[in-house]
């Protein structure tokens, strides 16, 4: 709840400095707020008051607004209250405030003067006492001076002894450091030797492993060759001695063939009886499955329709969804039809191929029935083919042997690479390590050309400057150099997506290295000159190393760093930057990052080379396998031709077997394609039904639920599905049983009986004398060849054993050397540890001496400023004599223990305080005089303002009263304490000098003396007048005050309520005259009244009425206003 009051000022005369013709002032009052606004903008109360002041609304003269009761208050006001009112109009409140402030300052000044006088008195007394203490203090100071000289002599000698001891310790430490450095260099050299020996041991171990593998392979080959040689010899013996066994085998073979043929006939008859039943059962099962799928699809479609109708709010949403589903179904249907067409084509192709192979099978069978004996001699060709095959197999064995060696080598190389990468990763943070590995992988996967590598990989550093380069670069060694920022962005996106670590990139197109001019001299080397790198990466190298130089020692480095603003570093890694900061210390070269990077690069190159060689060997083996396969194929063809010559049935049967296998495979594929086409047909029908259902639903009205027909169909489908599932399960079970029987018979025929029969038919046990002789020659040649191979393997195995013994000797030698170096390392370690302990003891002793030297320095410093004689007086005196004399002086000083040792300082301090307080008192006296003068000036100005205001108001009072009461006369009277008689304004003017001599403080009040009938009769005081006359006098005083301090407008609330008719008319005419006055004192008058006199002179009338519990205001004519007033009187 809130209310507001709003006033709109006419600002056409620009009285308000707003630059607008109107000013809107509003005050809004609520339960928790009280706000002001100017022209609809929030403003503070101070802003509003200042604006009104600037427009002429004086805060000290609030009589431009006269509310109800103000006239009565002025009427009943006492003389003293009128005097207070006059002072307010005169603006004496400002003078009063400043006078009160000055009086307060005067009071504070008086208090300060009293305290200052008290302090001065105390200081004078204290100075007298200090003058007596100063004489004793002088004697004490002479003794104390001698004491400090003696103490300085003792402390300085102790300090010199400590300094000599520290120098001796430093010399010992430097000598020890040189020895330790030599030991450390020996230790590092031994570490390098151990590393080299370890590498050699690893290589020798690898060589031994290879020799073991070769030895094992050669032994296996020798064993196999010996076995083959023995078998060949046995075969020769068998071919030579045994001819009878061949005839027995032939009879046994014929018997087996008859038995197998009989079993085949029985199985084929059983299979032929089973196939019609299986085909019929399969069709019934497929039909039942089709019906089941259709019913299930229809039910699912109804359920889907029922579920999705509840998701749509209207038909449009449903139709949009149905159209999208129709489009998707159409797309799927097109794809399925395409698959169906392809399957149909494949089925036709298989049928065509089967149709082509079946005549060939018939032809082969005819050839088997009517083929004759046709034998050709192919022994020499077969022999040549076997030799070529054996040669190729030997070459493949060599490749296998090399591949086995490479497998072991690759495993060792991979371990070395992982070990070096793990060592390098310990030299950086985990995120950077993972990031580098990820960038290498991303580069390989995406084949990025502009990803070059880390800065450490792209530069080559001499060993002497490796430490300096590492210290200078720091983590920048692992910044990745790329060609452009686009490449970096692409890799970063993949890194962020995979969260594969963190990496810093250096895009060459963005680098702008600022390389300053380098100093020239024999003791300075620009670091970048010692680096080797590709010219493409010059920007990256300059960015990191362009502002670094190498100096022989830290002193030279500091000088160059300060003079040229560069980063200077020594080969040992001690660094000085351009701001003067020095960093350095021991740097373990074993943990060199550059060495780690070089090891990783070397291991990776070796690993990649071995992988490449392994890949080449695999390709060679693949080619060799193909060549051997071709050679074996040629050999098989020759042997086949020979077997055809020996037995013309076997090749034809073999070819017939292949054709039969081909037909069986194609029929199996044809059956699978047929079943696949059936499934595709069912899928096409399902998709077509779904599309038709969606199109049909698109034409129906939108409903939240299914129709009655659809509900009934859904119930029928549920019962039908149960029946169809039972039928399909029964048919599937019966079909599975038939399929198991069919598959068993086919497998028995195809995988057992028929292959057995074909093997028996293809194996010829009939051998003529010529074929037996040929086989015997082949076997004899094979025995000779195997004997040569066996001898060759023996020789190679002997060479391998010799190499193995040599490698073992080398291994023993390296291990002994390694053991000796490690023993030397242990001795060096003990020496270094002993020296370290000595250094620690020396450091402790040095710390104690430094502490003692510091104490001596502090003791000397505590002695204060020493006299000149302290440095020479006791220089040649014995230390014992100095101590004794110091003891004697201390005993003498005990007599002066009561002496005020600060007498001089206190005397000087109190003297300065006395001078300061004296000056301060003078300043306070001057300030007091100035304040008294200011108070007098303020009192004088206040009196002048009151007197001036009284004169103006008195004059205007007489003028206004004469206008309101033409026959009368009125005046204001000042009342004083010393003179109770009345004094007119004219008399005061004549006695102006006397009034100035009298203070305004003697004024007790302002009285009013008027006469309503004559200008010459005795006037009456206001207490003697009637109520109407008193009100008229009060109004006259108000008009007089307003005339002295005019306002832009005036607001009077029923000021004529207590006036008689003639005075109301006079007041109304006076207000009219004031409003029409053309000079600057004219203003706007707003009056409320219940009398007609004011209405006759008003320019505009407003009526305020109260109806229905609400007030309303509106412009009315003068006649309406007069009627209203007359009605109120009645």
């Amino acid at each position: 709840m809130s209310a507001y009051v709003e006033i709109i000022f006419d600002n056409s005369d620009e009285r308000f400095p707003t630059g607008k013709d109107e000013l809107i002032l509003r005050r809004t009052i609520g339960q928790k707020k009280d706000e002001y606004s100017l022209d609809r903008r929030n403003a503070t109360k101070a802003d509003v008051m200042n604006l009104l002041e600037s427009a002429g609304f004086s805060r000290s003269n609030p009589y431009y607004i006269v509310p109800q009761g103000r006239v009565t208050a002025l009427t009943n006001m006492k003389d003293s209250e009128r005097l207070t009112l006059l002072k307010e109009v005169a603006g004496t409140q400002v003078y009063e405030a400043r006078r009160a402030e000055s009086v307060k300052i005067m009071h504070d000044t008086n208090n300060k003067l009293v305290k200052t006088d008290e302090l001065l008195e105390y200081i004078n007394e204290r100075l007298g006492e200090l003058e007596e203490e100063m004489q004793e203090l002088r004697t004490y100071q002479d003794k104390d001076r001698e004491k400090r000289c003696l103490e300085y002599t003792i402390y300085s000698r102790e300090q010199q002894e400590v300094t000599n001891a520290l120098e001796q310790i430093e010399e010992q430490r430097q000598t020890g450091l040189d020895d330790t450095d030599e030991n450390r260099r020996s230790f590092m050299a031994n570490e390098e030797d151990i590393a080299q020996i370890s590498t050699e041991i690893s290589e020798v171990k690898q060589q031994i492993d290879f020799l073991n593998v070769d030895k094992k392979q050669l032994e296996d080959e020798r064993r196999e060759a010996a076995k083959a040689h023995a078998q060949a010899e046995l075969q020769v013996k068998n071919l030579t001695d045994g001819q009878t066994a061949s005839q027995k085998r032939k009879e046994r073979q014929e018997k087996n063939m008859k038995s197998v043929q009989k079993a085949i006939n029985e199985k084929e008859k059983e299979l032929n009886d089973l196939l019609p039943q299986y085909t019929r059962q399969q069709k019934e099962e497929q039909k039942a499955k089709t019906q089941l799928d259709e019913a299930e699809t229809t039910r699912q479609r109804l359920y889907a329709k029922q579920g999705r109708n509840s998701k749509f709010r209207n038909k449009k949403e449903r139709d949009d969804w149905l159209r999208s589903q129709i489009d998707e179904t159409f797309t799927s249907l097109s794809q399925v039809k395409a698959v169906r067409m392809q399957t149909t084509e494949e089925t036709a192709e298989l049928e065509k191929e089967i149709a082509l192979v079946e005549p060939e099978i018939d032809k082969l069978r005819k050839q088997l029935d009517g083929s004759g004996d046709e034998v050709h001699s192919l022994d020499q060709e077969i022999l040549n083919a076997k030799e070529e095959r054996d040669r190729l197999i030997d070459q493949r064995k060599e490749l296998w042997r090399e591949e086995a060696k490479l497998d072991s080598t690759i495993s060792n190389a991979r371990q070395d690479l992982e070990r070096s990468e793990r060592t390098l990763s310990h030299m950086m943070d985990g995120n950077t390590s993972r990031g580098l590995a990820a960038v290498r992988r991303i580069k390989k996967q995406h084949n990025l050309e502009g990803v070059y590598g880390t800065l450490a990989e792209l530069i080559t550093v001499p060993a002497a400057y490796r430490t300096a380069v590492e210290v200078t670069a720091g983590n920048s060694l692992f910044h990745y150099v790329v060609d452009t920022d686009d490449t970096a962005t692409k890799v970063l996106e993949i890194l962020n997506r995979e969260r594969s670590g963190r990496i810093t990139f250096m895009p060459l197109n963005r680098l702008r290295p600022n390389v300053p001019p380098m100093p020239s001299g024999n003791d300075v080397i620009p670091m970048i000159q010692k680096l080797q790198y590709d010219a493409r990466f010059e920007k990256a190298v300059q960015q990191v190393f362009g502002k670094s130089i190498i100096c022989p020692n830290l002193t030279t480095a500091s000088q160059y760093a300060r003079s040229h603003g560069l980063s200077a570093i020594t080969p040992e890694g001690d660094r000085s930057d351009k701001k003067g900061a020095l960093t350095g210390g021991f740097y373990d070269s074993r943990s060199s990052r550059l060495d780690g990077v070089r090891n990783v690069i070397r291991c990776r190159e070796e690993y990649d080379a071995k992988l490449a060689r392994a890949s080449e060997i695999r390709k060679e083996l693949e080619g060799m396998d193909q060549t051997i396969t071709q050679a074996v194929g040629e050999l098989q063809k020759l042997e086949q031709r020979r077997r055809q010559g020996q037995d013309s049935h076997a090749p034809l049967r073999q070819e017939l077997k292949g054709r039969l296998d081909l037909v069986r495979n194609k029929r199996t594929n044809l059956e699978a394609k047929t079943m696949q086409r059936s499934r595709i047909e069912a899928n096409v029908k399902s998709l077509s039904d779904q599309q038709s259902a969606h199109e049909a639903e698109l034409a129906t009205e939108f409903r939240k639920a299914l129709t009655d027909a659809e509900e009934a169909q859904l119930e029928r489908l549920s019962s039908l599905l149960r029946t169809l599932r039972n039928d399909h399960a029964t048919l599937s079970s019966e079909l599975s049983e038939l399929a198991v029987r069919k598959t068993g018979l086919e497998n028995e025929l195809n995988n057992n009986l028929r292959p057995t029969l074909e093997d028996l038919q293809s194996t010829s046990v009939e051998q003529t004398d010529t074929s037996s002789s040929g086989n015997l020659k082949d076997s004899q040649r094979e025995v000779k060849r195997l004997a040569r191979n066996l001898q060759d393997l023996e020789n190679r195995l002997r060479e391998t054993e010799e190499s193995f013994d040599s490698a073992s000797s080398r291994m023993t030698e390296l291990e002994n050397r390694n053991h000796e170096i490690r023993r030397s390392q242990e001795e060096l370690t003990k020496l270094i540890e002993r020296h370290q302990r000595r250094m620690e003891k020396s450091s402790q002793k040095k710390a104690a001496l430094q502490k003692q030297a510091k104490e001596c320095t502090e003791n000397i410093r505590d002695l204060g400023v020493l006299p000149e004689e302290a440095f020479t007086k006791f220089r040649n005196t014995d230390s014992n004599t100095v101590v004794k004399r110091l003891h004697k002086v201390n005993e003498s000083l005990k007599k002066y223990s009561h002496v005020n040792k600060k007498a001089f300082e206190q005397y000087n301090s109190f003297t300065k305080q006395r001078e300061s307080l004296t000056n301060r008192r003078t300043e306070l006296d001057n300030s007091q005089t100035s304040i008294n003068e200011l108070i007098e000036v303020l009192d004088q100005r206040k009196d002048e303002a009151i007197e001036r205001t009284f004169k103006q108001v008195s004059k205007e009072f007489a003028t206004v009263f004469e206008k309101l009461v033409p026959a009368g006369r009125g005046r204001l009277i000042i009342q004083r304490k010393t003179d109770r008689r009345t004094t007119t304004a004219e008399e005061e003017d004549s006695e102006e000098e006397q009034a100035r001599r009298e203070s305004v403080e003697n004024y007790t009040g302002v009285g009013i003396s008027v006469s309503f009938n004559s200008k010459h009769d005795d006037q009456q005081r206001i207490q003697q007048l009637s109520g109407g006359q008193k009100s008229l006098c009060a109004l006259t005083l108000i008009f007089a005050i307003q005339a002295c301090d005019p306002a832009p407008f005036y607001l009077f609330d029923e000021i004529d309520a207590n006036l008689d008719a003639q005075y109301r008319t006079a007041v109304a005419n006076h207000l009219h005259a004031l409003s029409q006055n053309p000079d600057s004192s004219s203003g706007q008058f707003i009056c409320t009244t219940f009398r007609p006199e004011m209405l006759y002179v008003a320019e505009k009338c407003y009526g305020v009425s109260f109806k229905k519990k609400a007030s309303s205001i509106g412009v009315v004519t003068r006649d309406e206003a007069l009627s209203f007033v007359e009605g109120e009187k009645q």
Side-chain angles (χ1 to χ4, degrees), residues 18 519 968:
T18 61

Side-chain angles (χ1 to χ4, degrees), residues 183-247:
N183 291 335
R184 289 186 184 276
R185 284 192 291 270
S186 301
F187 185 84
M188 297 303 298
N190 289 339
E191 285 290 332
E192 294 177 359
D193 292 341
I194 289 174
Q196 184 177 359
I197 291 173
S198 299
T199 303
E200 293 181 5
I201 289 175
S202 177
E203 293 175 354
V204 173
K205 283 183 178 179
Q206 188 175 0
Q207 183 180 0
I208 291 174
D209 293 339
F210 292 159
L211 292 173
N212 281 326
V213 172
D214 288 344
K215 182 179 179 182
K216 183 178 179 181
Q217 290 179 350
L218 290 172
E219 289 176 350
D220 293 340
E221 291 179 5
R222 184 183 65 178
R223 189 163 46 251
E224 293 294 333
K227 181 179 179 181
H229 184 262
Q231 289 178 351
E233 289 179 345
L234 180 62
Q235 185 177 2
V236 170
K237 183 176 182 300
N238 291 334
L239 288 173
T240 303
D241 298 337
Q243 295 291 334
T244 306
S246 176
Q247 185 66 30

Side-chain angles (χ1 to χ4, degrees), residues 602-661:
R602 177 181 57 78
C603 294
R604 187 178 292 118
E605 289 176 352
E606 293 178 358
Y607 179 67
D608 292 340
K610 289 179 173 57
L611 284 180
R613 178 56 186 160
S615 178
E616 292 176 1
I617 290 176
R618 282 195 292 272
K619 290 181 180 179
E620 291 179 6
L621 283 172
E622 291 175 0
M624 188 65 67
D625 289 340
Q626 294 176 359
T627 304
I628 291 174
T629 302
Q630 292 176 358
V632 171
E634 293 294 331
L635 179 61
Q636 289 177 351
K637 288 179 181 179
L638 291 173
E639 289 178 346
Q640 184 178 2
R641 288 171 59 188
R642 186 177 68 175
R643 284 194 299 271
Q644 287 176 353
Q646 296 173 355
D647 187 1
S648 60
H649 293 274
L652 292 176
R653 286 196 182 97
Q654 188 68 25
E655 187 176 358
L656 178 60
K657 177 185 176 184
R659 290 291 185 271
L660 290 173
D661 291 339

Side-chain angles (χ1 to χ4, degrees), residues 249-267 653 753-754 756-761:
R249 283 197 301 273
K250 180 179 179 182
E251 293 175 356
R252 189 167 55 253
Q253 182 183 15
E254 290 178 352
K255 182 178 179 181
N256 291 336
M257 288 174 62
K258 291 179 181 179
S259 174
V260 171
Q261 186 64 46
K262 181 178 179 181
I264 289 173
N265 294 334
E266 292 176 355
K267 295 294 182 181
R653 286 196 182 97
L753 296 176
R754 286 173 180 168
T756 302
L757 179 63
E758 291 170 359
D759 290 339
L760 291 173
Q761 290 176 347

Side-chain angles (χ1 to χ4, degrees), residues 88 240 350 369 441 569 771 860 871 876 940 965 985 1085 1094:
E88 292 177 358
T240 303
L350 287 172
D369 294 338
R441 175 176 51 78
I569 190 167
S771 63
I860 293 174
F871 305 102
N876 299 322
Q940 181 181 353
V965 186
F1085 292 88
M1094 199 74 73

Side-chain angles (χ1 to χ4, degrees), residues 853-866:
K854 183 178 179 182
E855 291 176 354
C856 291
T857 304
E858 291 177 353
N859 290 331
I860 293 174
R861 188 183 299 114
D862 292 340
L863 293 176
V865 180
L866 297 171

Side-chain angles (χ1 to χ4, degrees), residues 266-520:
E266 292 176 355
K267 295 294 182 181
E268 286 180 347
K269 182 177 182 305
E270 185 178 358
L271 181 61
N272 293 332
D273 294 339
L274 181 64
L275 281 176
Q277 183 180 359
Y278 174 77
T279 303
R280 182 173 60 257
Q281 191 72 21
Q282 187 179 27
K283 290 181 180 180
E284 291 179 358
E285 190 271 342
Q286 185 65 32
K287 181 179 179 181
K289 186 176 186 304
T290 302
Q291 292 176 354
L292 177 62
D293 291 342
E294 290 177 354
E296 182 66 28
T297 302
T298 304
R299 188 179 70 163
Q300 293 297 330
R301 192 158 50 245
L302 290 175
Y303 278 141
K305 180 178 179 181
Q306 184 181 15
R308 67 174 171 265
N309 283 342
S310 61
K311 296 188 297 184
F312 304 122
R313 294 175 296 183
N314 50 46
K315 186 175 185 297
K316 183 178 180 304
E317 291 184 0
R318 186 205 66 178
D319 293 349
D320 292 341
W321 184 86
L322 289 174
R323 291 189 184 95
S324 65
Q325 292 298 311
I326 290 171
D327 294 339
E328 293 178 2
T329 305
F330 180 76
T331 303
S332 301
L333 187 61
S334 300
Q335 296 175 352
V336 173
K337 287 182 178 179
V339 174
R340 181 182 64 181
M341 184 180 296
Q342 181 180 357
T343 305
T344 303
E345 292 175 356
E346 293 175 354
T347 303
E349 184 68 22
L350 287 172
E351 292 175 350
K352 182 178 178 181
E353 291 176 357
I354 292 172
L356 291 175
V357 174
E358 286 178 347
E360 294 180 2
I361 293 174
D362 295 338
K363 183 178 178 181
L364 288 172
R365 285 175 177 170
K366 290 178 181 179
Q367 289 179 359
L368 281 173
D369 294 338
S371 62
D373 297 332
E374 187 176 344
V375 179
H376 300 280
S377 178
L378 300 173
D379 292 339
Q380 188 63 36
E381 293 183 12
I382 291 174
L383 179 61
N384 295 334
K386 286 183 177 180
E387 291 178 353
E388 179 65 19
R389 180 199 63 186
D390 294 339
R391 184 182 65 80
L392 292 174
I393 289 175
D394 291 339
Q395 291 181 359
R396 185 171 64 178
K397 288 180 179 178
E398 290 294 331
L399 290 176
W400 280 345
R401 191 176 293 111
E402 185 177 359
E403 185 182 25
K405 292 180 180 179
L406 274 177
D407 290 339
S408 177
T409 306
I410 288 172
S411 177
N412 294 332
R414 182 170 57 252
Q415 293 176 2
D416 293 340
L417 177 59
E418 292 174 353
R419 183 166 53 253
S420 60
E421 288 179 342
R422 187 163 53 251
T423 302
L424 181 61
S425 66
H426 292 162
M427 301 178 185
M428 66 184 82
D429 61 276
N431 286 331
T432 303
S433 176
R434 291 188 292 108
L436 291 175
V439 171
R440 286 194 294 269
R441 175 176 51 78
I442 292 169
K443 175 184 177 182
K444 185 179 295 184
Q445 288 179 353
H446 297 81
N447 195 21
L448 299 177
E449 297 294 336
V451 181
Y452 300 122
T454 61
L455 186 62
E457 296 172 353
L458 302 178
I459 62 175
T460 302
V461 185
Y465 303 103
R466 195 163 293 164
T467 301
V469 170
E470 288 188 22
V471 173
T472 300
N475 290 331
S476 299
L477 287 173
F478 303 113
H479 290 181
Y480 226 92
V481 180
V482 296
D483 53 355
T484 63
D485 51 351
D486 294 334
T487 303
T489 303
K490 183 176 181 181
V491 178
L492 276 176
E493 289 176 353
I494 301 174
L495 280 176
N496 292 332
R497 185 167 60 251
E498 297 179 354
R499 296 181 178 179
S500 302
R502 183 183 66 228
I503 203 71
T504 300
F505 289 97
M506 299 179 70
L508 296 175
N509 66 325
R510 291 289 185 180
L511 295 179
R512 301 292 185 269
N514 182 17
V515 181
M518 293 292 172
S520 59

Side-chain angles (χ1 to χ4, degrees), residues 703-756:
R703 294 182 178 180
K704 291 291 185 178
L706 298 175
T707 62
D708 296 338
E710 290 172 338
E711 292 286 350
Q713 184 183 4
L714 190 61
E715 294 179 0
R716 290 196 302 274
L717 286 173
S718 299
S719 60
L720 178 61
L721 279 171
R722 288 192 294 271
T723 303
L724 290 174
R725 287 194 185 98
N726 295 331
D727 296 342
H728 179 262
T730 303
L731 292 173
S732 298
S733 177
E734 295 175 355
L735 180 63
S736 298
E737 294 176 358
L738 293 174
V740 170
R741 291 176 58 194
K742 173 178 171 292
T743 303
L745 291 172
E746 289 177 346
N747 289 334
E748 181 68 19
L749 285 170
N750 296 329
N751 299 329
N752 185 15
L753 296 176
R754 286 173 180 168
T756 302

